[in-house]
């Protein structure tokens, strides 16, 4: 109790987190709704409030998603068929991000050609979004819908892994005998 009370005083004086900011601690992500003397309340996406002892905010690693500017970097990974023109894919991804009304232009969206995958050429789109980490899922979903449409309109295949199975004929497997 004393440890949590002292940690609460540290939180109230130093203010590394504030009410309304979105924090991530120990796999828990959500906005801070109350900071008390012994505990801090974090609201989850499932409409629950988790009461976290203040000592965890002082002694553990905490990500404060709301400490800086209200913007989030959204990353979208996409793989395209090996027959695709990488430059055309890059331009399509940038075009989709520039067309979205919520995508920030400063910093500008970027595309990286990450790797030659097993079944695809793998790219990653980076777009800044003026919101919180809790709102980024809807933004990412809108980008995914638009990317899918752009790829379909331009006949760029989004492949799926395919495996070849080779069956060899050989000696038949002897039948197992049941014990008598």
């Amino acid at each position: 109790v004393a440890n949590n009370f002292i940690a609460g005083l540290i939180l109230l004086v130093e203010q590394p987190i504030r009410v309304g900011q979105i924090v991530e601690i120990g796999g828990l992500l959500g906005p801070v709704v109350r900071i008390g003397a012994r505990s801090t309340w974090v609201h989850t996406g499932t409409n629950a409030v988790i009461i976290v002892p203040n000592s965890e905010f002082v002694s553990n690693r905490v990500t404060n998603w709301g400490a800086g500017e209200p913007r989030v970097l959204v990353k979208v990974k996409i793989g395209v068929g090996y027959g695709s023109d990488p430059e055309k894919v890059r331009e399509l991804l940038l075009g989709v991000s520039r067309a979205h009304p919520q995508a920030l232009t400063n910093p500008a969206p970027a595309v990286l050609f990450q790797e030659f995958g097993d079944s695809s050429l793998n790219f990653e789109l980076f777009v800044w979004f003026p919101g919180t980490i809790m709102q980024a899922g809807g933004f990412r979903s809108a980008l995914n819908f638009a990317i899918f449409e752009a790829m379909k309109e331009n006949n760029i295949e989004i492949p799926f892994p395919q495996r070849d199975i080779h069956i060899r004929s050989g000696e038949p497997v002897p039948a197992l005998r049941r014990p008598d």
Side-chain angles (χ1 to χ4, degrees):
V1 172
N3 189 21
N4 286 322
F5 182 74
I6 292 169
L9 290 175
I10 292 170
L11 291 177
L12 293 172
V13 171
E14 289 185 4
Q15 295 186 340
I17 60 170
R18 294 188 181 108
V19 172
Q21 292 179 330
I22 296 170
V23 296
E24 186 174 0
I25 180 169
L28 173 67
L29 175 70
V32 174
V33 293
R34 179 181 180 271
I35 301 174
R38 292 183 303 119
S39 63
T40 297
W41 295 14
V42 178
H43 191 271
T44 69
T46 59
N47 206 25
V49 172
I50 306 295
I51 300 170
V52 182
N54 284 335
S55 60
E56 291 190 29
F57 285 97
V58 174
S59 61
N60 294 330
R61 183 177 296 213
V62 177
T63 302
N64 186 340
W65 291 97
E69 296 179 44
R71 67 179 184 178
V72 177
L73 178 61
V74 174
K75 301 173 189 177
V76 178
K77 294 181 179 184
I78 183 166
V80 299
Y82 267 93
S84 305
D85 177 3
E87 241 351 277
K88 184 173 184 178
V89 172
R90 181 180 168 293
E91 288 307 315
L92 284 173
L93 292 173
L94 289 173
V96 164
S97 62
R98 290 179 187 133
H100 196 287
Q102 290 182 301
L104 294 176
T105 57
N106 188 17
V111 174
L112 293 180
F113 186 165
Q114 295 289 21
E115 65 185 355
F116 297 93
D118 290 339
S119 302
S120 62
L121 303 174
N122 296 325
F123 293 83
E124 194 162 11
L125 171 65
F126 299 88
V127 184
W128 286 94
F129 165 71
T132 66
I133 190 69
M134 303 295 278
Q135 300 164 328
F139 178 69
R140 181 180 295 106
S141 177
L143 286 175
N144 282 334
F145 276 112
I147 289 168
F148 182 83
E149 284 302 314
M151 296 300 164
K152 187 168 73 172
E153 289 171 6
N154 287 277
N155 297 318
I156 295 178
E157 176 190 10
I158 299 174
F160 54 90
Q162 298 179 24
R163 303 288 184 246
D164 291 333
I165 299 175
H166 298 277
I167 300 174
R168 295 185 295 182
S169 62
E171 296 290 321
V173 178
L176 295 176
R177 297 187 66 200
R178 290 186 186 189
D180 294 328

